[in-house]
Amino acid sequence: MALHRVMGLLLLACLLSPLPLAAAESRHPGRLPNESGQELSAKVAAIMAGTGFKVMSHSAWSERGRPGGDVLLTRVPYTNLYGGEGRQAFRILSPRRGLEIALIVKRQDTDGSNDTKLPHIYLTAIEAMREKTVFILVEGEGWRSEGMDWLRRAVAERRYGMPTDKDVRIVSLEEFRRWARGL
């Protein structure tokens, strides 16, 4: 097994190891450890690693000369809606499958105003992500139904000038897992 594969698996094991409940409770009272956004991202990485994708940061991938093959890139730079520098959570690359997918991952566990960011997430998907296919993975029980309904309508109706060649999909973690298994 190649050294980078072993290191990647060790990193995933560290990311996926559960926090002691007391530590999780002190950071997020009332929430279980597996409910954080970082752990959701770790689950996405584990799903893709389980399908044979190399998981690496965009900077490490670039430093290695952008090797081919199936890769899940993390912390991918892009130009945000305001013209500044941003980092998207993931980019899925598979030249042999013809895949280049931006993956935006968002979690909302408690009621609050975080779902007011849904229009920004949608506009980022259609304007700022250079990839033609964008998955918006949303999880958690805290999203307002009106906000999620708006997001689904915006995608279905291709609102606000979504380019005709852009494919935006809203997926849950389980839907993403099924998609990945089908690769």
Side-chain angles (χ1 to χ4, degrees):
M1 186 178 286
L3 179 60
H4 74 276
R5 179 89 169 133
V6 171
M7 296 301 291
L9 291 173
L10 286 172
L11 175 62
L12 280 174
C14 290
L15 288 171
L16 293 175
S17 64
L19 295 171
L21 187 56
E25 285 291 321
S26 68
R27 288 188 319 169
H28 306 287
R31 283 184 31 187
L32 296 176
N34 65 353
E35 294 180 329
S36 77
Q38 288 179 336
E39 289 171 353
L40 178 59
S41 291
K43 288 178 183 180
V44 167
I47 289 167
M48 294 308 292
T51 62
F53 278 69
K54 290 180 245 166
V55 179
M56 65 176 63
S57 71
H58 183 271
S59 60
W61 179 70
S62 294
E63 288 169 6
R64 293 182 182 146
R66 299 178 177 223
D70 295 343
V71 182
L72 177 69
L73 299 175
T74 65
R75 299 195 39 79
V76 180
Y78 75 103
T79 303
N80 66 28
L81 291 173
Y82 313 120
E85 294 179 16
R87 300 268 177 209
Q88 71 190 53
F90 299 106
R91 180 180 294 152
I92 300 167
L93 296 175
S94 177
R96 69 185 173 99
R97 293 180 177 101
L99 297 178
E100 183 177 2
I101 300 171
L103 177 57
I104 300 170
V105 177
K106 297 295 177 183
R107 177 167 209 102
Q108 178 74 13
D109 287 316
T110 59
D111 293 340
S113 62
N114 206 28
D115 56 359
T116 61
K117 295 177 182 176
L118 291 172
H120 186 271
I121 293 166
Y122 175 72
L123 288 174
T124 296
I126 67 170
E127 291 186 15
M129 299 288 109
R130 70 174 182 82
E131 298 85 354
K132 298 297 182 193
T133 302
V134 180
F135 290 175
I136 303 172
L137 192 156
V138 288
E139 279 293 306
E141 299 297 319
W143 299 104
R144 291 183 196 154
S145 61
E146 304 87 23
M148 289 306 300
D149 290 344
W150 177 90
L151 182 60
R152 287 185 188 95
R153 280 193 314 275
V155 169
E157 297 170 5
R158 306 181 69 76
R159 290 183 179 175
Y160 309 108
M162 182 193 297
T164 56
D165 62 346
K166 195 78 142 185
D167 178 21
V168 177
R169 302 178 197 179
I170 303 164
V171 297
S172 67
L173 182 63
E174 187 52 39
E175 291 167 328
F176 180 76
R177 182 177 285 125
R178 283 194 305 267
W179 173 85
R181 284 182 187 151
L183 291 176

